[in-house]
Amino acid sequence: MRLGFVVREMGAGLRRNFTMTVAVVLVTMVSLFFFGLGLLVQQQVSILKGDWYDRVQVSVFLCGPVSTEEDCPTGAVTSAQRDALRAQLESSPLVDRVFYESQQDAYDNFLEQFDDAITENVTPDQLPESFRVRLTDPSRYQEVREQFSGQPGVEDVPDDRAVLGPLFAAMDGATRVALGLAALMLVCSVLLVSTTIRLTAFSRRREVSIMRLVGASRALIQLPFVLEGVIASLVGAVLASGALYALVEFGVGRLRERPDFTTRLVETSDVLFPTAPVMLGVGVVFAVVASLLSLRRWLRV
Amino acid sequence: MITFEHVSKVYGEGNRPALAEVTLQVDRGDFVFLVGPSGSGKSTFLRLVLKEEKASSGTVQVAGRDVGRLRSWKVPALRRQIGVVFQDFRLLADKSVFENVAFALQVLGKPRHVIAQSVPETLALVGLGGKERRRPHELSGGEQQRVAIARAFVNRPALLLADEPTGNLDPETSVGIMKLLDRINRTGTTIVMATHDDDIVDQMRKRVVELRDGRVVRDEDRGVYGSSR
């Protein structure tokens, strides 16, 4: 009986303030969409980082006949230098395994990766031989790099992160923009919820005064107001999740279909969990907090 | 039922007190008229009983509870023991007579079969049997006030407060309302009624408490409205 009463009151409130309810739904939707977008970008960043750490190999390029004087003052690597480097790598606690890639191996890989137009002008001795090193702890990449660059016979130990760094920075920036927009819109939705409650409280002041006088509990009086905000926010959150799902399904999905695109990307299952539940939760929590705060202000009990 | 001990109420700092050092006792089953000019403190008295306001000093006890110390979440329990009737009826225009009275029980979570039984009973008691489906605007002023009384009484409160219940009614209709209140009083319900209506007070010959500038200036059994007017 009492639950039925609350639901009826809530329904009446939603209908009475239809335009305000729509406004709350839309603003909540936009704000949670940006919030969810920020979460997804962060998930993509961690996927990329994970993949990169899985794959990380330190390449120690050795001096060859085409190396410059500046990089290799001692000229091409000698076999003594090569053996010393290998021994040093294999004894290092940071190193898991060492592969040697000769100039011929490098040339074979090169042929595989690029088409004829590029490869026809390249000969094996133009490519550097190298040690490919797997690390026990990929995050200590930099230590290995510092230890081996500049050793005799080593031409270069390139830093792959120089390539990935700007990408991560850009994605972090995108996250910040999305979360900033989300915060702004969340403020709007809180203000709208507050205004809606103020209007509802005014249009229902007579019912509320009678409820107080006959001794209805505070919870019963306030619950319909809070639930109105929660329902509107939930609808907004569901719409936002749907929009995000569609974005990943059609936007990211199209990218994935391209054959040359091998990077792992966020998937629709990432939207379903954990992004959508987090969005719903945030939407509900904000609606409840906004409602309770404005009820204190507009609804004396 | 109601005990006021040295109760004062000041609205805002530096203002004249609305009630000053009021000490008063209303026993269970009493019928008390609260009389006095506008601004004499009648409404403040009723608001303090309902804990709509908090006394500035002194203690207010209602039905054995110290109202001043009552925690806010217990206030609804207090109000369930008190029925209130106003000059302007305060009915819900979009609800029928039955729904208006049932509303008071619904918000307390009473089961449907209780509502189906006690609402018609109470409407019959106030003399509105057969008008359950009407809307408030289809009723006369007296009938609307009867609906309001039914709503206040349907939960069988121990105390009924009435703030100028006949203020908007013609003398003849007012007599009917007073008869109804008297009948309710005879069921054992304590009634405190604030009023300006000297004819009614003089006819009823009940206890009269006169307030003036927030002070009790007269308290007599079987009193009249008085010469003060």
Side-chain angles (χ1 to χ4, degrees), chain B residues 2 4 45-51 62 78 82 159 161:
Chain B
I2 303 175
F4 273 46
F45 182 91
L46 298 180
R47 293 173 69 79
L48 285 172
V49 172
L50 281 167
K51 199 170 163 57
V62 177
L78 169 76
I82 307 174
L159 173 63
L161 303 180

Side-chain angles (χ1 to χ4, degrees), chain A residues 1-2 5 8-9 16 204 206-218 220 300-301, chain B residues 50 52 72 76 79-80 82 84 86 88 90-92 103-104 106-110 112 115 151:
Chain A
M1 191 72 205
R2 227 193 290 212
F5 177 81
R8 268 200 309 281
E9 289 293 313
R16 195 168 352 209
R204 299 192 51 225
R206 177 155 277 195
E207 278 96 333
V208 167
S209 79
I210 292 166
M211 283 198 259
R212 289 175 51 219
L213 282 176
V214 300
S217 64
R218 182 194 297 224
L220 186 84
R300 239 192 94 209
V301 175
Chain B
L50 281 167
E52 293 258 20
S72 65
R79 291 184 183 154
R80 280 171 211 185
I82 307 174
V84 196
F86 298 95
D88 56 356
R90 302 203 185 171
L91 300 177
L92 301 174
F103 186 76
Q106 277 171 353
V107 298
L108 299 184
K110 293 282 196 276
R112 206 180 292 263
I115 295 175
R151 181 178 66 198

Side-chain angles (χ1 to χ4, degrees), chain B residues 29-78:
Chain B
D30 274 4
F31 194 125
V32 180
F33 284 116
L34 217 50
V35 303
S38 299
S40 59
K42 303 190 298 291
S43 293
T44 297
F45 182 91
L46 298 180
R47 293 173 69 79
L48 285 172
V49 172
L50 281 167
K51 199 170 163 57
E52 293 258 20
E53 302 287 349
K54 203 170 182 302
S56 308
S57 64
T59 57
V60 177
Q61 283 195 3
V62 177
R65 301 166 200 253
D66 186 338
V67 170
R69 291 210 190 142
L70 203 60
R71 306 296 296 261
S72 65
W73 62 272
K74 282 188 169 173
V75 172
L78 169 76

Side-chain angles (χ1 to χ4, degrees), chain B residues 107-124:
Chain B
V107 298
L108 299 184
K110 293 282 196 276
R112 206 180 292 263
H113 68 270
V114 172
I115 295 175
Q117 193 184 353
S118 36
V119 173
E121 258 177 35
T122 311
L123 283 174

Side-chain angles (χ1 to χ4, degrees), chain A:
Chain A
M1 191 72 205
R2 227 193 290 212
L3 186 72
F5 177 81
V6 168
V7 170
R8 268 200 309 281
E9 289 293 313
M10 181 193 76
L14 286 175
R15 256 174 284 124
R16 195 168 352 209
N17 295 322
F18 184 72
T19 48
M20 287 303 282
T21 306
V22 170
V24 171
V25 166
L26 291 180
V27 169
T28 310
M29 173 185 151
V30 173
S31 98
L32 289 178
F33 177 78
F34 281 115
F35 178 69
L37 198 62
L39 291 183
L40 275 185
V41 172
Q42 276 310 298
Q43 281 178 43
Q44 181 65 57
V45 167
S46 61
I47 286 175
L48 285 181
K49 276 186 177 158
D51 282 2
W52 182 69
Y53 276 135
D54 279 349
R55 262 193 314 219
V56 77
Q57 279 189 355
V58 180
S59 303
V60 180
F61 288 103
L62 305 180
C63 296
V66 293
S67 301
T68 60
E69 177 76 24
E70 201 180 328
D71 292 330
C72 295
T74 57
V77 65
T78 63
S79 62
Q81 284 172 338
R82 188 185 301 127
D83 291 343
L85 280 169
R86 181 195 287 270
Q88 205 181 343
L89 279 167
E90 281 173 347
S91 65
S92 166
L94 294 173
V95 173
D96 182 26
R97 277 151 78 193
V98 182
F99 307 92
Y100 173 69
E101 188 180 276
S102 68
Q103 285 184 313
Q104 186 58 46
D105 295 335
Y107 181 68
D108 293 343
N109 287 338
F110 190 75
L111 288 185
E112 253 176 55
Q113 281 180 23
F114 299 95
D115 56 24
D116 296 347
I118 301 172
T119 53
E120 65 187 8
N121 296 324
V122 177
T123 57
D125 63 338
Q126 290 175 316
L127 295 170
E129 56 186 302
S130 62
F131 287 115
R132 301 292 165 117
V133 181
R134 285 193 70 85
L135 301 180
T136 49
D137 177 4
S139 64
R140 297 176 72 181
Y141 172 87
Q142 201 63 23
E143 293 174 41
V144 181
R145 184 171 173 260
E146 276 164 16
Q147 195 183 344
F148 287 94
S149 54
Q151 295 238 20
V154 174
E155 182 182 1
D156 189 20
V157 186
D159 186 352
D160 287 352
R161 263 191 306 199
V163 182
L164 287 167
L167 180 62
F168 288 155
M171 293 178 88
D172 279 341
T175 305
R176 269 195 293 277
V177 170
L179 290 185
L181 284 172
L184 196 69
M185 297 304 285
L186 269 185
V187 170
C188 291
S189 76
V190 165
L191 294 177
L192 266 178
V193 165
S194 168
T195 310
T196 310
I197 281 184
R198 185 181 168 186
L199 285 175
T200 315
F202 185 76
S203 67
R204 299 192 51 225
R205 63 196 182 285
R206 177 155 277 195
E207 278 96 333
V208 167
S209 79
I210 292 166
M211 283 198 259
R212 289 175 51 219
L213 282 176
V214 300
S217 64
R218 182 194 297 224
L220 186 84
I221 296 176
Q222 295 191 340
L223 207 55
F225 289 85
V226 176
L227 284 183
E228 271 177 57
V230 167
I231 295 279
S233 292
L234 269 182
V235 172
V238 168
L239 289 177
S241 304
L244 215 53
Y245 188 94
L247 181 78
V248 172
E249 174 76 33
F250 300 112
V252 178
R254 187 165 301 166
L255 210 58
R256 192 179 289 113
E257 278 164 15
R258 285 165 49 174
D260 57 334
F261 204 88
T262 56
T263 313
R264 242 173 10 109
L265 293 170
V266 289
E267 293 171 25
T268 48
S269 63
D270 293 318
V271 177
L272 295 180
F273 188 87
T275 309
V278 169
M279 287 161 72
L280 293 181
V282 167
V284 168
V285 166
F286 265 83
V288 169
V289 170
S291 307
L292 290 179
L293 288 180
S294 35
L295 279 174
R296 281 170 82 116
R297 197 154 162 214
W298 303 120
L299 191 68
R300 239 192 94 209
V301 175

